[in-house]
Amino acid sequence: MAFLHGTRRPKGIRGTRSRGIGLHATLILGVLLSAFPFYWAVIMSTHTTSEIFSYPPKLLPGSHFLENLRSLFDNIDFFGSMFNSVLVAGSVTFLVLLFDSLAAFVFAKFRFPGKNVLFALLMVIFMVPAQLAAIPQFVIMAKLGWIGSMTALIVPAAANAFGIFWMRQYMKSAIHDELLDASRIDGANFLRQYWHVALPVVRPGLAFLGIFTFMGQWNDYAWPLIALTNPNNVTLQVALSQLNGTHGTTDYGMVMTGALLALIPLLIVFAVGAKQIIGDLGKGAIR
């Protein structure tokens, strides 16, 4: 009778509901903690330096955003340096996706002499810190006459060991040998197998690699600072570092405004890439 009148619920259902509520509460808390730095950046970009360091801290937007924006544009060539960053990060991302996926496809699905030795060498390169290559890389770029140009930033980063390793591991499990065998029977050569069989299957992996590469190039500071010798032709991260004044005179409201604007391309790339990942995974689940 109690079951018919709905006055009592089984203990298993109550326990499952309680766990679901706890999980959702934890996720909401995690989202709020993750979003707070972005909110705090927005708040600081609307205040002056004195207001930023006031106590208690101001948690609501101020009225100095336009003033900070004008100061930012007066001190650096913001849009010029942003264009340089977009050019470098976009070019490097495209080349990395192309070259790394081609190399990974060969390592994952083809046999050739010395394959294991070459892959072991690749892993050794993967473990070497990039800072160790800065001086030899600068010498090579100088001999080629590329110092001071965007070529010095794009060409050395056109392929990397991590991308090849990541795509190789992804392709080994995602691309079935039966698909490649069927394409060979249909007369497909290597490039057609790569373009029509491999790439449609590994788009989620490419999307992750694209996001990872773009963010890394966008946030890179050390190598552009070394390679771009003209202070008027720099990437955005180097330009933003020029806003730091000397003798404690930094305008932190202006700095945070620049940092906030620099986040916009990253958010766009992440949103597009994440949508690609989720969409392709959903299609794969339906199939």
Side-chain angles (χ1 to χ4, degrees):
M1 293 297 294
F3 175 77
L4 293 176
H5 289 287
T7 57
R8 298 180 61 184
R9 293 182 179 179
K11 293 182 178 180
I13 295 177
R14 291 199 300 269
T16 302
R17 184 178 181 183
S18 299
R19 286 193 297 271
I21 294 174
L23 177 61
H24 281 79
T26 303
L27 292 175
I28 292 173
L29 179 61
V31 169
L32 293 177
L33 291 176
S34 301
F36 182 76
F38 297 99
Y39 175 76
W40 187 240
V42 173
I43 295 300
M44 286 193 290
S45 67
T46 61
H47 290 287
T48 63
T49 300
S50 59
E51 291 174 341
I52 290 175
F53 288 98
S54 64
Y55 185 84
K58 298 181 181 297
L59 299 178
L60 295 177
S63 59
H64 293 82
F65 179 77
L66 294 179
E67 180 181 338
N68 293 333
L69 198 63
R70 284 193 295 268
S71 299
L72 174 68
F73 294 157
D74 290 340
N75 281 273
I76 62 172
D77 182 11
F78 181 84
F79 291 106
S81 58
M82 175 175 278
F83 174 78
N84 292 338
S85 289
V86 171
L87 175 63
V88 172
S91 300
V92 169
T93 301
F94 172 77
L95 293 174
V96 164
L97 292 179
L98 176 62
F99 294 142
D100 286 10
S101 61
L102 276 170
F105 185 46
V106 174
F107 274 118
K109 293 300 175 180
F110 292 89
R111 297 179 181 178
F112 55 91
K115 172 182 174 180
N116 295 332
V117 175
L118 286 176
F119 189 74
L121 180 61
L122 184 72
M123 290 297 95
V124 172
I125 297 174
F126 181 32
M127 291 183 289
V128 174
Q131 290 78 6
L132 294 180
I135 295 178
Q137 188 169 287
F138 182 85
V139 173
I140 294 174
M141 295 298 105
K143 289 183 178 295
L144 293 174
W146 290 349
I147 292 298
S149 68
M150 297 300 162
T151 309
L153 305 183
I154 296 173
V155 174
N160 58 67
F162 168 77
I164 298 175
F165 172 76
W166 162 255
M167 291 307 303
R168 173 188 178 270
Q169 298 304 110
Y170 196 94
M171 288 180 174
K172 286 185 67 175
S173 59
I175 303 175
H176 299 289
D177 294 333
E178 291 79 4
L179 291 175
L180 297 178
D181 293 338
S183 65
R184 293 190 189 101
I185 294 174
D186 290 338
N189 57 20
F190 171 78
L191 290 179
R192 288 192 64 186
Q193 292 177 42
Y194 165 77
W195 187 260
H196 295 287
V197 178
L199 288 188
V201 176
V202 300
R203 280 188 297 182
L206 288 173
F208 167 78
L209 181 60
I211 295 172
F212 183 84
T213 304
F214 188 92
M215 293 180 65
Q217 290 299 315
W218 185 267
N219 293 322
D220 190 16
Y221 171 75
W223 178 241
L225 181 65
I226 296 171
L228 299 179
T229 54
N230 184 359
N232 297 321
N233 185 28
V234 295
T235 57
L236 185 57
Q237 300 304 324
V238 178
L240 291 177
S241 69
Q242 298 173 359
L243 298 176
N244 293 323
T246 56
H247 307 293
T249 59
T250 302
D251 185 347
Y252 287 99
M254 177 181 62
V255 172
M256 290 309 303
T257 301
L260 181 65
L261 295 180
L263 286 175
I264 295 176
L266 291 181
L267 295 177
I268 294 174
V269 170
F270 183 81
V272 173
K275 182 178 180 180
Q276 182 69 33
I277 293 173
I278 296 172
D280 284 341
L281 291 177
K283 292 178 183 177
I286 293 174
R287 286 196 297 268

